[in-house]
Amino acid sequence: MEFLKTLVYQYLMLRGMEDPVGNDILVPEDPPRPEEMEDSFERFATSRNIKRTGPRLKPSYQIKGVPIEPPGINVIHGVMDAGKVNAFAKAQGTSLTGFLLSVLIQAIHDEKKAGDRREERIAIAVPVSLRRHFPSTTLRNFFYVANIDVSMDGYVTFDDLIKDVSAQLADKTDKENLQAGINRFVSLQTNPLTRAVPVMLKYPVMRFGFNQLGERLKTMTLSNLGNIKLPEAMKPYVDRMEVVLYPTRKSPINCGIGTLNDRLTITFSRSIMAQEIIRTFFMLLKEKTGQDITVYSNDWGDGI
């Protein structure tokens, strides 16, 4: 994000923008500060000896479909008034992320029900920035992934779904659970056995673990980068921001969200022909909020 903001700043300066942007942008002429390169996981870890607790997570419902031909990624964006959608979510007793998660889970369930009536967990992986609870200015990765999972049996109302999702979000992103996640990560990273494995062997093992274990625990990923702050001098030149989250083999549809200049942009990327979940999501979103949605696509494969 910081790199992109710097890139846009440099472009606008070349195009003649003269207003200063203060200290809100990292400019190439400034030397990097040590804090930008710190390992914040290491800094905030409180323990390196972690025993696994809690129930073992079960595999979740997996979206399947015929790959797009010719191979490529179809990207579909939906743009809305951020302030109005935020206000609606709060009126439902949840956050913007909680509301959009609930709509997404409902859309997946509705489309799944049409072709496969087996009850399975629908699990959405939600990357969570750790910077709110653990102040850091590092430019390295510093996030935790919370799996929000719901067993949809056909009798769950949307209001109950919102309550369940909101409760899970609150629980899995409170400081105590985030601290435990930091400790687990550092414990694995500093484990003598892990450190002793040569990189040429470690990478294939990590890739196998990612594909066979981590990917099987989620149906898709929803990443909300939140409200992106730009200096006042840059705002007139930027309309909105698109967050494109790449799909994977076991998660062929993913969702990225970003808000800029009060424009909420919800972006789905997919590597399969099936687009019913995306269409149902936007239909449900419009139906529940009553707000207009401007939808457009890169037109790779069939559009929505």
Side-chain angles (χ1 to χ4, degrees), residues 52-58 217:
R52 180 176 293 277
T53 59
R56 184 180 293 274
L57 295 176
K58 297 179 181 179
L217 297 177

Side-chain angles (χ1 to χ4, degrees), residues 110-296:
D110 288 352
E111 289 306 319
K112 174 184 178 300
K113 187 171 60 174
D116 182 358
R117 295 184 177 275
R118 290 177 299 168
E119 181 182 341
E120 290 181 274
R121 293 170 56 254
I122 295 175
I124 310 297
V126 182
V128 179
S129 174
L130 294 168
R131 290 169 173 83
R132 186 177 68 167
H133 289 296
F134 306 93
S136 170
T137 56
T138 184
L139 298 183
R140 297 171 64 172
N141 281 342
F142 190 46
F143 69 93
Y144 169 80
V145 177
N147 267 17
I148 308 300
D149 62 275
V150 179
S151 292
M152 299 288 286
D153 59 7
Y155 300 98
V156 178
T157 67
F158 188 70
D159 287 343
D160 288 338
L161 178 57
I162 286 181
K163 291 176 183 176
D164 188 355
V165 168
S166 300
Q168 288 190 55
L169 267 178
D171 177 57
K172 295 179 180 181
T173 62
D174 73 1
K175 188 169 183 177
E176 184 177 344
N177 278 324
L178 295 180
Q179 182 68 69
I182 290 174
N183 292 346
R184 281 194 298 271
F185 180 84
V186 174
S187 174
L188 176 64
Q189 184 175 260
T190 59
N191 187 298
L193 293 177
T194 304
R195 296 172 69 92
V197 176
V199 173
M200 62 184 300
L201 297 177
K202 189 183 300 183
Y203 181 79
V205 171
M206 290 175 63
R207 174 58 62 181
F208 177 82
F210 173 77
N211 287 330
Q212 300 303 318
L213 301 178
E215 286 282 272
R216 293 178 63 205
L217 297 177
K218 67 184 177 76
T219 304
M220 72 164 66
T221 297
L222 181 147
S223 182
N224 184 3
L225 294 189
N227 191 20
I228 311 304
K229 302 293 186 183
L230 282 182
E232 289 298 322
M234 291 176 61
K235 284 184 178 180
Y237 301 96
V238 184
D239 180 61
R240 62 187 178 276
M241 179 176 185
E242 302 167 352
V243 181
V244 183
L245 196 65
Y246 69 93
T248 63
R249 187 170 64 86
K250 289 186 177 294
S251 185
I253 303 176
N254 281 324
C255 180
I257 301 168
T259 300
L260 192 145
N261 289 342
D262 203 34
R263 306 264 283 177
L264 170 68
T265 305
I266 304 167
T267 300
F268 285 93
S269 56
R270 64 184 174 103
S271 58
I272 57 175
M273 294 295 292
Q275 59 183 342
E276 290 79 9
I277 288 173
I278 303 172
R279 182 186 290 113
T280 299
F281 172 87
F282 283 123
M283 289 175 61
L284 284 172
L285 187 57
K286 180 176 176 59
E287 173 189 309
K288 294 186 180 301
T289 64
Q291 301 299 319
D292 292 332
I293 309 175
T294 301
V295 178
Y296 59 100

